[in-house]
């Protein structure tokens, strides 16, 4: 069941893109369109592009690469990024005399941390404002080792993709469909908000329920509470 903000999807033409917060909502949007057209006895239709944000960012980069006169940097896949991170972390652990067995877990944590940093538009130099504890020093060394490999080969990863697209927003604006939606995001990160503003994307946010309309119930037992919760869930699904 889609939120009211998305129920006018069938009104969009094929010259539109709907960027969702995740793969599940993208599937739900496609299914909603299919069900709507089928119920109206439409045999064939051209629907807007509907894809999760990770895929959309990569698609935008591919379009820029295709239409750019200057060579673009190589974009690593998530699996390729993981390998580079694992090698960088393994080298740092070896330098510090630590067992290399922990490189996989360390690489995974570093990769997530950098993705979060870039999402909030934090630079590598922002790390310097934090206390230099053992964990932060280890992360900084791993990040420096990873950046060296990036610079040596001209690679970029998903973490830097939003910032690169923002720099190329003027060129990207000419390549995107006229109608652009962000759907299913309860809150945009700073880099998502910047892209939204630069590319004039319509953020179809879900409405926050009115707190004054909410009620609190007390039940005599856990069984009674579970029965009431099940009844409420069925009511929501039938809407």
């Amino acid at each position: 069941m889609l939120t009211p903000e998305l129920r006018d999807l069938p009104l969009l033409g094929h010259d539109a893109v709907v960027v969702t917060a995740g793969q599940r909502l993208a599937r739900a949007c496609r299914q909603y369109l299919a069900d709507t057209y089928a119920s109206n006895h439409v045999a064939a239709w051209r629907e807007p592009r509907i894809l999760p944000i990770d895929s959309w960012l990569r698609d935008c980069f591919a379009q820029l690469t295709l239409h750019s006169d200057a060579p673009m940097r190589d974009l690593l896949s998530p699996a390729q990024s993981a390998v580079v991170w694992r090698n960088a972390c393994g080298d740092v652990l070896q330098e510090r005399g630590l067992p290399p067995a922990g490189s996989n877990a360390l690489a995974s944590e570093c990769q997530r941390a950098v993705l979060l940093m870039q999402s909030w538009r934090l630079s590598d130099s922002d790390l310097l404002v934090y206390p230099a504890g053992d964990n932060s020093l280890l992360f900084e060394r791993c990040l420096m080792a990873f950046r060296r490999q990036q610079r040596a080969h001209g690679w970029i990863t998903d973490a830097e993709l939003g910032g690169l697209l923002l720099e190329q927003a003027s060129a990207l604006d000419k390549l995107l469909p006229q109608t652009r939606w962000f759907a299913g995001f309860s809150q945009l990160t700073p880099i998502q908000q910047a892209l939204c503003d630069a590319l004039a994307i319509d953020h179809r946010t879900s409405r926050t329920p009115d707190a004054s309309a909410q009620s609190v119930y007390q039940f005599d037992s856990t069984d009674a509470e579970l029965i009431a919760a099940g009844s409420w869930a069925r009511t929501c699904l039938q809407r």
Side-chain angles (χ1 to χ4, degrees), residues 138-159:
L138 181 59
F139 172 57
E140 185 179 346
R141 295 288 175 79
C142 291
L143 179 57
M144 291 173 61
F146 180 80
R147 293 296 190 220
R148 282 195 295 271
Q149 294 194 41
Q150 271 192 301
R151 288 191 294 269
H153 298 279
W155 293 329
I156 62 168
T157 69
D158 286 336

Side-chain angles (χ1 to χ4, degrees), residues 14-76:
H14 67 276
D15 187 27
V17 60
V18 179
V19 182
T20 64
Q23 187 69 253
R24 183 176 180 180
L25 181 57
R27 287 195 299 266
C29 288
R30 296 189 198 101
Q31 187 61 53
Y32 176 74
L33 280 175
D35 293 343
T36 300
Y37 288 127
S39 65
N40 287 284
H41 308 290
V42 178
W45 59 89
R46 297 180 67 184
E47 64 181 34
R49 296 202 66 197
I50 304 172
L51 63 171
I53 187 164
D54 291 345
S55 299
W56 177 71
L57 292 173
R58 286 183 159 268
D59 183 72
C60 288
F61 180 80
Q63 291 190 54
L64 283 174
T65 301
L66 182 64
H67 293 87
S68 176
D69 294 330
M72 300 287 285
R73 298 166 65 186
D74 292 329
L75 174 61
L76 298 182

Side-chain angles (χ1 to χ4, degrees), residues 98-174:
L98 297 173
S103 61
N104 286 346
L106 179 59
S108 180
E109 292 298 323
C110 288
Q111 193 171 4
R112 279 196 293 267
V114 171
L115 184 60
L116 187 60
M117 283 173 54
Q118 298 290 337
S119 296
W120 287 86
R121 305 189 74 178
L122 299 174
S123 66
D124 295 354
S125 60
D126 290 322
L127 294 174
L128 301 177
V129 304
Y130 296 101
D134 290 342
N135 289 336
S136 61
L137 284 174
L138 181 59
F139 172 57
E140 185 179 346
R141 295 288 175 79
C142 291
L143 179 57
M144 291 173 61
F146 180 80
R147 293 296 190 220
R148 282 195 295 271
Q149 294 194 41
Q150 271 192 301
R151 288 191 294 269
H153 298 279
W155 293 329
I156 62 168
T157 69
D158 286 336
E160 297 87 33
L161 197 49
L164 183 145
L165 295 179
L166 190 58
E167 293 174 0
Q168 301 287 329
S170 179
L172 183 59
D173 182 62
K174 301 173 184 177

